[in-house]
Amino acid sequence: MSITNTPTSNDACLSIVHSLMCHRQGGESETFAKRAIESLVKKLKEKKDELDSLITAITTNGAHPSKCVTIQRTLDGRLQVAGRKGFPHVIYARLWRWPDLHKNELKHVKYCQYAFDLKCDSVCVNPYHYERVVSPGIDLSGLTIQSTAPSSLLVKDEYGHDYVEGQQSISSSDGHSIQTIQHPPSNRSSSESYSNPSLLASSEPSTPNASSFSSIPVPSTSQPTSLLAASHGEGLLQIASVPPQGTQQNGFNAQPATYHHRPVHNELAFQPPISNHPAPEYWCSIAYFEMDVQVGETFKVPSNCPIVTVDGYVDPSGGDRFCLGQLSNVHRTEAIERARLHIGKGVQLECKGEGDVWVRCLSDHAVFVQSYYLDREAGRAPGDAVHKIYPSAYIKVFDLRQCHRQMQQQAATAQAAAAAQAAAVAGNIPGPGSVGGIAPAISLSAAAGIGVDDLRRLCILRMSFVKGWGPDYPRQSIKETPCWIEIHLHRALQLLDEVLHTMPIADPQPLD
C-alpha cells in the first residue's frame, strides 16, 4: 500500500491503524486513540467485509454507505481500552466524529442492525451508523471550553465561592481520562413546578426525572435545547449552565422554584416495588469523618423523614437534621477547623420512591461525591470518578433498581466463578496450557474474589465538603479531605441481604 492510497482489509494491521489514526478528531490522547484503533482492527481482521466497511466509512467521512462494524458485547456493555472503560460505540464516535460527545447523545440510524441500544450479542461501532441528538435539561448559553486553562486553577482557591457564572473552563492534570465530573445547577424550564420537598411522603412514587430515564428516547418538543459537553483530552467533563433566574438568596431558598422533568411512559412512574419486604425503620445512616477518623456517633434518618439536611451549624441534631458544627474532636487541626467553617448550609439528601437518592447543594461551596450511579451515567467504571456538585445543583446520585441489578449480576458472577475455580483446582476443566487445572483457576481468581464488602460498596455514598480529591487536587483519597460523610442506604443493604440469601457467596469448599 502506498502512503497516498486507502488501505484495505488485506493490508497489514499497522498500515490500517496508521491510516485510521489520520482521521481522528483529536479529542483523545494519541496513545489512547492508537490503542483503541489497534484493538478494533485486530478484532475485525477475521471479518474482512466489516473491516473494509470501517475503512470506507472513516476515510470518506461517511460519504459512502457502509455496513455494520461489530464487536462482541461484553457482560456490562462496556469496553476497556488503556485502563479506561466506556461504551464502545461512544468511544469510536468520539475518536472519529464528535470529541465532546456524551454517551446519552447517540441515536442509531434506522438501517443499523446491531446498534448498541438493540441489545444484540454484537455491537455496531461504525460511527456513521449513529446520529448525535441534543437532549433537554442543560442550557448551553453559558458554555465555553478553554483548552489552555491550567490545571492549577482547580486547586488555586478552594475556599472561593463556587457559583457558576458565564464562562466555564475545562482542564486537567492529565490528558488520558476524565477524573472530576462537574455538575453545576441547571436552568430549568417552568413547564413543571417543583413542590416543597418537605411535603413529599416517603411512600409516594418517585418523580420522573431526566437522569433516571436517560436511555429512553424522548422527542424534543418545546423543551430548551441542551447538551452535555465533555473534553476527554482535557481530562474533565463539565456540565455548564446559566444560574437560575429569579431565585432568592435568603435562608434556604437559593434554589430555583421550578424544575423541568422529561416526559416518561406512565408505567415507569408507577413501578412495583423491587421487594415486598417492609421498608427499614431508617432509610439511611450518616457517619461524619475528619480525615480518616470518624467523629461523633452515626446519625440515623427515620423513614418518615424522606429529606435530611447535613449542615455545619451547632443546633442539636435530630430527626431530619444532622449538625456537624457541634461535634468535637480533640485531634482537630487548624486546616480541618478552617474547612468546617465553610460547610455552612451543607446539603440536603432526599429519598424518593423505594430508595432513589437525590442531593441538593445548599452550601456556598461545592461538594464532591463518590457515586457509582453517576459513574455509570458518565460512562465510567465504578469508583473511577469524583463528581463535583455546585451550589444550588439538585442531582440524582443513587438509583435503587440499577444498584439491585448490579448486585445480582456481581453476586451471580462471583458464585459462578467460585464454582468454576473449585472445579478447575480439582482438574475438572482441562484446557490448553493447563497443568492439573491450575492455569484456569488463576484466570478465574479475580471474579471469584468478589466478596460481600465489594457488594456493600454499591449501597454506600461518600461526600466531601469544600475540598475535592483525585488527580486534580492535592489529596488522592477522600480520607485525606478535612470533613466528609459516608451514607449507608438501608433499603439497598436490605435488598443485598436478600440477594445473598438467594445466592450466597462462600469460599470454595474442599472436595472429598
Side-chain angles (χ1 to χ4, degrees):
M1 182 197 81
S2 69
I3 295 176
T4 56
N5 290 338
T6 301
T8 70
S9 58
N10 293 320
D11 286 301
C13 286
L14 191 63
S15 300
I16 300 171
V17 170
H18 175 76
S19 175
L20 296 178
M21 280 286 287
C22 294
H23 294 271
R24 66 190 183 93
Q25 294 299 305
E28 300 284 5
S29 69
E30 184 175 352
T31 303
F32 178 85
K34 188 173 182 182
R35 292 277 291 277
I37 295 172
E38 282 176 345
S39 171
L40 180 57
V41 170
K42 287 176 182 176
K43 287 185 174 89
L44 297 175
K45 205 57 178 153
E46 299 303 316
K47 299 188 282 186
K48 292 185 180 296
D49 57 333
E50 293 189 21
L51 182 52
D52 282 325
S53 286
L54 176 69
I55 294 169
T56 299
I58 302 306
T59 57
T60 65
N61 295 324
H64 299 297
S66 53
K67 300 177 182 177
C68 285
V69 178
T70 62
I71 60 173
Q72 187 70 27
R73 181 185 289 271
T74 58
L75 187 64
D76 65 354
R78 293 178 298 165
L79 179 69
Q80 181 157 325
V81 177
R84 282 171 47 187
K85 271 196 169 185
F87 295 105
H89 63 312
V90 178
I91 289 175
Y92 293 107
R94 283 174 184 153
L95 274 181
W96 285 308
R97 295 195 70 183
W98 305 287
D100 60 348
L101 178 73
H102 184 259
K103 73 182 182 71
N104 292 333
E105 295 173 351
L106 282 185
K107 176 184 177 183
H108 65 271
V109 295
K110 292 180 180 178
Y111 52 82
C112 184
Q113 296 177 305
Y114 297 95
F116 182 83
D117 292 339
L118 298 181
K119 309 293 184 187
C120 302
D121 291 338
S122 295
V123 179
C124 178
V125 295
N126 185 337
Y128 292 94
H129 277 205
Y130 295 89
E131 297 172 344
R132 188 173 187 175
V133 294
V134 176
S135 330
I138 302 161
D139 189 353
L140 286 180
S141 58
L143 178 64
T144 304
I145 296 179
Q146 289 185 324
S147 60
T148 57
S151 59
S152 58
L153 290 178
L154 293 170
V155 294
K156 182 178 179 183
D157 182 12
E158 291 182 277
Y159 290 119
H161 283 203
D162 275 311
Y163 291 120
V164 183
E165 296 178 0
Q167 186 167 293
Q168 303 296 321
S169 65
I170 297 179
S171 60
S172 170
S173 58
D174 116 30
H176 296 289
S177 61
I178 306 170
Q179 296 293 346
T180 305
I181 301 177
Q182 307 194 19
H183 304 269
S186 297
N187 189 19
R188 310 288 184 172
S189 79
S190 58
S191 60
E192 184 168 341
S193 297
Y194 170 76
S195 303
N196 187 332
S198 62
L199 301 178
L200 296 175
S202 59
S203 59
E204 289 182 353
S206 173
T207 306
N209 56 78
S211 302
S212 306
F213 309 109
S214 55
S215 61
I216 299 173
V218 179
S220 297
T221 54
S222 59
Q223 315 296 352
T225 58
S226 59
L227 187 64
L228 193 64
S231 177
H232 297 274
E234 293 306 318
L236 283 180
L237 183 145
Q238 181 155 324
I239 307 174
S241 68
V242 175
Q245 302 297 317
T247 58
Q248 299 179 11
Q249 297 299 326
N250 303 350
F252 287 86
N253 297 323
Q255 58 273 8
T258 59
Y259 287 80
H260 160 70
H261 303 279
R262 285 194 193 181
V264 66
H265 301 298
N266 288 336
E267 63 268 19
L268 288 173
F270 301 98
Q271 291 175 324
I274 298 171
S275 168
N276 292 323
H277 202 84
E281 182 180 0
Y282 301 95
W283 73 263
C284 79
S285 55
I286 307 170
Y288 169 65
F289 292 83
E290 293 177 358
M291 308 295 278
D292 59 352
V293 176
Q294 181 173 350
V295 177
E297 307 237 341
T298 300
F299 182 81
K300 294 183 178 180
V301 184
S303 291
N304 62 0
C305 294
I307 297 177
V308 60
T309 301
V310 183
D311 60 42
Y313 301 129
V314 295
D315 287 354
S317 298
D320 62 354
R321 188 175 175 198
F322 185 19
C323 294
L324 306 179
Q326 44 94 23
L327 299 176
S328 59
N329 177 10
V330 294
H331 302 294
R332 183 172 293 151
T333 64
E334 184 181 344
I336 293 174
E337 192 65 69
R338 192 164 63 250
R340 280 167 50 84
L341 291 174
H342 293 274
I343 296 174
K345 296 173 184 175
V347 296
Q348 259 182 2
L349 304 173
E350 179 178 358
C351 181
K352 285 189 174 188
E354 192 176 354
D356 294 353
V357 179
W358 289 66
V359 167
R360 186 191 309 279
C361 181
L362 302 175
S363 173
D364 289 342
H365 299 271
V367 294
F368 298 81
V369 178
Q370 186 180 73
S371 159
Y372 286 180
Y373 168 76
L374 288 178
D375 291 344
R376 291 185 68 84
E377 287 297 289
R380 302 308 300 257
D384 191 36
V386 180
H387 301 267
K388 184 175 183 179
I389 301 180
Y390 281 80
S392 298
Y394 178 62
I395 187 169
K396 184 177 183 179
V397 294
F398 181 81
D399 185 286
L400 185 67
R401 289 183 183 275
Q402 184 191 87
C403 176
H404 186 239
R405 286 193 301 270
Q406 206 168 348
M407 64 176 67
Q408 284 180 313
Q409 182 185 62
Q410 288 193 20
T413 300
Q415 187 182 39
Q421 187 181 43
V425 170
N428 295 336
I429 307 181
S434 66
V435 181
I438 297 301
I442 294 171
S443 66
L444 291 165
S445 61
I450 297 174
V452 175
D453 285 345
D454 298 291
L455 296 175
R456 284 184 75 253
R457 288 191 192 100
L458 300 173
C459 312
I460 295 171
L461 296 168
R462 285 176 162 184
M463 184 182 305
S464 169
F465 295 96
V466 185
K467 299 287 189 176
W469 76 95
D472 302 313
Y473 295 90
R475 299 157 294 275
Q476 297 307 303
S477 159
I478 194 172
K479 292 185 179 181
E480 296 173 34
T481 61
C483 39
W484 58 281
I485 55 176
E486 185 171 86
I487 304 142
H488 291 241
L489 303 172
H490 293 191
R491 183 59 168 175
L493 289 166
Q494 192 179 57
L495 294 177
L496 174 58
D497 190 61
E498 291 183 13
V499 168
L500 294 176
H501 276 91
T502 306
M503 47 178 77
I505 300 175
D507 294 329
Q509 299 297 315
L511 300 172
D512 295 331

